[in-house]
Amino acid sequence: MSVSVPPSAEPTLWELHRAVSQLREDLRGDLAHLAARLDQVVTQDVYRADQRATEQRIGAVETALAGLRGEHDQVAERTEQQRREDQAQAAATRRLVLSSFVAPLLLMVLQLWLVTQGSAR
């Protein structure tokens, strides 16, 4: 079954002109949209430069962090050393206080014992 197209089904020149004009307008809009999007795109050189700058900033932060970590370790070591020194000083003070009370007490007990031994004879 063959459908025949009547001669009046072909577009007129004016309709062709309108269709081409509409196509041209659509193309202009699409190109304008594409140009707007391309304004937001950067070149590979710019992107690589930005990546290098980012890597440099990250490297600087890592270096600073390593420095801070080293300083923290030094402070922690000094604090630990100071704690050990304070404990040693406290132990020495306890021994001094103990000996300053115990020694005279022992001497007094020894003298009392000697006096009681001497008077018993």
Side-chain angles (χ1 to χ4, degrees):
M1 176 169 158
S2 148
V3 175
S4 63
V5 176
S8 64
E10 291 185 18
T12 64
L13 288 178
W14 178 250
E15 290 173 337
L16 283 175
H17 174 70
R18 281 186 5 180
V20 168
S21 295
Q22 182 63 41
L23 188 61
R24 185 181 297 159
E25 289 299 316
D26 291 345
L27 186 59
R28 281 186 185 148
D30 291 345
L31 288 175
H33 179 69
L34 182 60
R37 290 190 63 199
L38 285 177
D39 286 342
Q40 298 173 357
V41 176
V42 296
T43 64
Q44 284 185 342
D45 294 337
V46 172
Y47 177 76
R48 287 183 188 135
D50 185 56
Q51 288 300 102
R52 282 192 300 272
T54 300
E55 288 172 6
Q56 288 174 347
R57 285 194 306 264
I58 289 172
V61 168
E62 287 174 344
T63 302
L65 182 60
L68 287 174
R69 192 174 293 134
E71 288 177 20
H72 176 266
D73 292 344
Q74 289 175 355
V75 168
E77 181 61 34
R78 282 192 301 248
T79 302
E80 182 63 26
Q81 180 66 27
Q82 185 65 40
R83 187 186 63 77
R84 286 191 297 263
E85 290 173 4
D86 289 347
Q87 285 177 341
Q89 182 66 33
T93 302
R94 282 192 300 272
R95 284 191 301 271
L96 179 64
V97 167
L98 186 62
S99 64
S100 67
F101 285 118
V102 171
L105 190 62
L106 286 176
L107 286 175
M108 189 169 54
V109 168
L110 181 62
Q111 285 178 344
L112 285 174
W113 184 73
L114 287 175
V115 168
T116 56
Q117 290 297 324
S119 62
R121 286 186 179 184

